Structure formats: structure tokens, C-alpha cells
């Protein structure tokens, strides 16, 4: 679906009403941000540590019309303090709309700009904030794939026929990828120092694939140590055929995944963050369509918590 078709589809669902309900006024948006923990629900006074209380204020004091106030020492604090919105000018409703539209896979930035009237830079800045939060979340919660008897397909691919911005990624970055055939969950990791020998790959594999998994790969020599590392390992010789006629072993799911990944990181300024966002979205892709957008939106909100 292109941008227009995606928007028409969204407009026809109850999700659109839901988003409208939480963003129709700044007050509703602010309330929602407090509920979701993106704005802090409690605030200790920086001076005396007493719990501060929320009080209405004039627009000259804060455009959010609400501030934290310490009853004993009368100090004030902005309600955006200690949150992802701290120091940001974006209104609460625009912030929520932006996160919502970023949850829609393949909706181009230009469409988001037209829909909510924010600049290209604002979209790009928030994308970076969001993807950095997602990356930190995945590092803290690696959630490995596979498990005893579960088939995992693994492969390496070279990314970046184009040059990524500012030389952060040299041309031809190797990425190790694997997909769980049961859940469709995946991991995509740039190979450290662009190496793909056993010494480099095995620690990544052991962190991201559960012991006892059945791992299908091509015949790349770095994978020879997999059996010793508690996996059942089958390989297929890609220079002869893509499905082993005797065992039926193939890595076509991973091959298909590479096509999706390569499409979704086109134009990314930071390959690693774009890969991380792809992995994050995959965790919410089981149900598809509207649920997928809603789940991704909720997932994004959870990583944006204060
Ligand atoms: Zn105080």
C-alpha cells in the first residue's frame, strides 16, 4: 500500500477514532501522556524532596498550562521535566500523532509532514530519539529467538550499495540475521568490525538464539562450531541448490526477510538503528493490519516512558 492507501485504510478503522479521541485537545493528549507514564506522574521537589503537586498556570509561565509546584517551598517545575519531552517544543497532541504515524510501516515522511504539518527535521529528530530508545530497550531485553526443537534460519548479507551518511558505515556492511520459523521474530546485527568469522559470530549467536534450537544455515565455515554450542545444525550448499533435496533444509524464510529488510532500510541515515527498528516491529507483526499498528504504537509508547 502507498501512503494515501494506508491513510484511507486507517481512516476506515476504529483505531482512527481512538487516536482522534486522545489528540483532539492538548488536555486530552496531556492526560493520556500522564496515564502512559511518558510524563512523570509524581515529582519530588529538587529543593526539599517533598512530593510536588500539579497546579494550573498561565500560558506565560508554561504553554502546557500546568506545572509542578512544591507546597512547602513554592518551587515550580515544568511538567515535561525528566521525560522524553523535556526541552521539546512539540505540542502533546502533535507528539502523539507523530508517534502514531511513525508506527505505520512504510508511511513516508512526506506523507506525515502533510498530515500533521511538522517539518522534515522534526520527523527525523523524533525518529532518531525513538529508534535510539528502541535500541536501548532491545539491548536491555534481548529476548532471544528459537528454543528446543524450534527451527531458526540464519544467514549473513552485505548491506549498503549506497554510502550511509557521514561514513558511519563503510560500504558493504555485513549483517548477521536469523529468523524463528514459528514466531517470525528475528535478529539483525551488524557484524563487529565487519568480520564474520566464528570468533566474531558465535558470541552473537549464543546471545540471540536459545540453546537446543535447530539452526539452518548455508555452508559458511564460521557455522561449523554450532553443534558444539548446543544447537542442532543443518546446512545447505547454496552454490548447488537452495533446498537440500534429501533433508528439505532451506533458508528461504531468511532470504525473504532480507528482501523486506533491505527495502525498509533504504535511505536510513543510521543502518544499525534502522535494523533495530525492523526487529522491534517484527515483534508486533504476528497479527498484521490494524492490530499491528496499534501494537507498534503501544510498543513505541512503552519505550518512551520517563
Ligand atoms: Zn520543596
Amino acid at each position: 500500500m502507498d501512503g494515501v492507501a494506508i491513510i484511507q485504510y486507517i481512516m476506515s478503522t476504529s483505531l482512527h477514532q481512538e487516536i482522534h479521541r486522545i489528540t483532539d485537545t492538548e488536555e486530552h493528549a496531556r492526560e493520556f501522556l500522564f496515564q502512559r507514564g511518558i510524563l512523570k506522574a509524581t515529582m519530588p521537589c529538587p529543593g526539599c524532596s517533598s512530593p510536588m503537586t500539579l497546579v494550573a498556570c498561565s500560558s506565560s509561565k508554561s504553554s502546557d498550562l500546568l506545572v509542578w509546584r512544591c507546597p512547602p517551598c513554592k518551587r515550580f517545575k515544568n511538567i515535561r521535566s525528566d521525560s522524553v519531552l523535556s526541552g521539546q517544543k512539540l505540542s502533546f497532541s502533535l507528539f502523539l500523532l507523530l508517534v502514531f504515524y511513525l508506527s505505520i510501516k512504510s508511511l513516508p515522511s512526506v506523507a506525515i509532514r502533510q498530515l500533521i504539518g511538522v517539518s522534515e527535521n522534526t520527523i527525523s529528530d523524533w525518529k532518531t530519539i525513538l529508534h535510539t530508545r528502541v535500541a536501548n530497550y532491545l539491548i536491555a531485553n534481548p529476548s532471544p529467538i528459537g528454543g528446543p526443537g524450534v527451527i531458526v534460519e540464519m544467514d549473513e548479507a552485505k548491506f549498503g550499495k549506497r554510502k550511509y551518511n557521514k561514513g558511519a558505515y563503510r560500504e558493504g556492511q555485513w549483517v548477521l540475521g536469523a529468523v524463528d520459523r514459528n514466531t517470525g521474530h528475528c535478529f539483525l546485527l551488524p557484524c563487529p568490525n565487519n568480520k564474520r568469522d566464528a570468533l566474531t559470530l558465535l558470541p552473537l549467536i549464543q546471545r540471540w538464539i536459545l540453546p537446543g534450537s535447530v539452526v539452518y544455515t548455508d555452508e559458511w565455515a564460521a557455522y561449523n562450531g554450532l553443534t558444539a554450542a548446543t544447537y542442532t545444525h543443518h546446512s545447505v550448499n547454496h552454490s548447488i541448490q537452495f533446498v537440500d533435496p534429501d533433508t528439505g533444509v532451506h533458508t528461504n524464510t531468511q532470504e525473504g526477510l532480507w528482501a523486506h529488510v533491505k527495502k525498509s532500510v533504504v535511505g536510513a541515515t543510521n543502518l544499525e538503528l534502522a535494523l533495530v527498528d525492523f526487529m522491534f516491529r517484527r515483534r508486533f507483526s504476528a497479527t498484521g493490519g490494524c492490530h499491528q499498528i496499534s501494537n507498534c504504537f503501544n510498543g513505541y509508547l512503552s519505550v518512551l516512558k520517563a
Side-chain angles (χ1 to χ4, degrees):
M1 283 198 281
D2 65 7
V4 175
I6 294 166
I7 294 305
Q8 280 171 347
Y9 167 70
I10 298 297
M11 296 290 190
S12 72
T13 67
S14 60
L15 187 58
H16 179 251
Q17 289 160 18
E18 174 77 0
I19 293 304
H20 181 70
R21 193 181 56 76
I22 61 171
T23 58
D24 62 346
T25 65
E26 270 300 277
E27 209 180 337
H28 286 160
R30 189 182 66 203
E31 201 50 45
F32 183 80
L33 291 170
F34 273 121
Q35 275 168 20
R36 292 304 184 96
I38 291 168
L39 291 175
K40 296 199 85 163
T42 59
M43 187 71 74
C45 170
C48 70
S49 302
S50 303
M52 301 180 95
T53 50
L54 286 169
V55 292
C57 70
S58 65
S59 59
S60 59
K61 192 167 190 78
S62 166
S63 57
D64 296 328
L65 303 177
L66 202 62
V67 284
W68 288 106
R69 181 174 175 274
C70 175
C73 64
K74 319 281 186 255
R75 272 173 198 258
F76 290 99
K77 206 170 171 185
N78 195 289
I79 57 167
R80 298 181 180 227
S81 300
D82 306 334
S83 81
V84 73
L85 284 155
S86 175
Q88 299 282 350
K89 289 196 186 79
L90 208 57
S91 72
F92 295 141
S93 49
L94 276 181
F95 166 74
L96 282 171
L97 284 170
L98 179 55
V99 175
F100 173 70
Y101 286 122
L102 289 174
S103 309
I104 303 169
K105 202 171 111 189
S106 69
L107 185 64
S109 289
V110 60
I112 300 178
R113 214 175 58 205
Q114 286 164 358
L115 280 161
I116 58 174
V118 295
S119 73
E120 194 76 44
N121 280 346
T122 303
I123 297 171
S124 152
D125 289 351
W126 276 103
K127 245 186 186 172
T128 304
I129 293 171
L130 192 53
H131 293 173
T132 306
R133 290 278 186 128
V134 164
N136 292 337
Y137 172 83
L138 286 179
I139 289 163
N141 307 275
S143 172
I145 62 174
V150 176
I151 295 171
V152 173
E153 295 180 26
M154 183 163 59
D155 191 19
E156 333 88 65
K158 216 173 205 184
F159 275 68
K161 285 205 174 85
R162 67 172 62 226
K163 273 215 166 87
Y164 289 95
N165 265 7
K166 294 166 191 144
Y169 284 91
R170 73 190 91 177
E171 274 190 66
Q173 170 68 45
W174 280 105
V175 174
L176 178 69
V179 58
D180 181 318
R181 268 200 202 167
N182 279 4
T183 61
H185 293 185
C186 67
F187 70 74
L188 303 159
L189 307 164
C191 297
N193 302 315
N194 217 14
K195 283 187 178 166
R196 47 179 193 132
D197 51 70
L199 214 61
T200 308
L201 298 189
L202 209 54
L204 298 180
I205 293 167
Q206 286 178 306
R207 193 182 314 146
W208 284 92
I209 303 182
L210 290 168
S213 303
V214 181
V215 183
Y216 290 0
T217 68
D218 60 16
E219 293 197 318
W220 178 240
Y223 298 135
N224 289 344
L226 286 176
T227 305
T230 74
Y231 302 111
T232 304
H233 180 215
H234 297 286
S235 59
V236 55
N237 185 339
H238 279 173
S239 63
I240 300 170
Q241 70 258 313
F242 283 91
V243 179
D244 188 306
D246 298 326
T247 61
V249 168
H250 69 82
T251 56
N252 295 349
T253 318
Q254 180 61 39
E255 295 296 329
L257 187 75
W258 286 134
H260 286 298
V261 177
K262 290 200 168 177
K263 203 175 144 197
S264 86
V265 305
V266 165
T269 52
N270 183 317
L271 177 63
E272 191 168 9
L273 288 185
L275 293 174
V276 152
D277 189 58
F278 188 96
M279 288 162 66
F280 191 76
R281 285 176 183 278
R282 266 273 154 156
R283 293 200 186 182
F284 302 108
S285 69
T287 45
C290 203
H291 293 295
Q292 187 179 332
I293 297 165
S294 170
N295 288 347
C296 186
F297 179 58
N298 285 317
Y300 279 161
L301 291 178
S302 71
V303 300
L304 289 169
K305 272 186 199 166

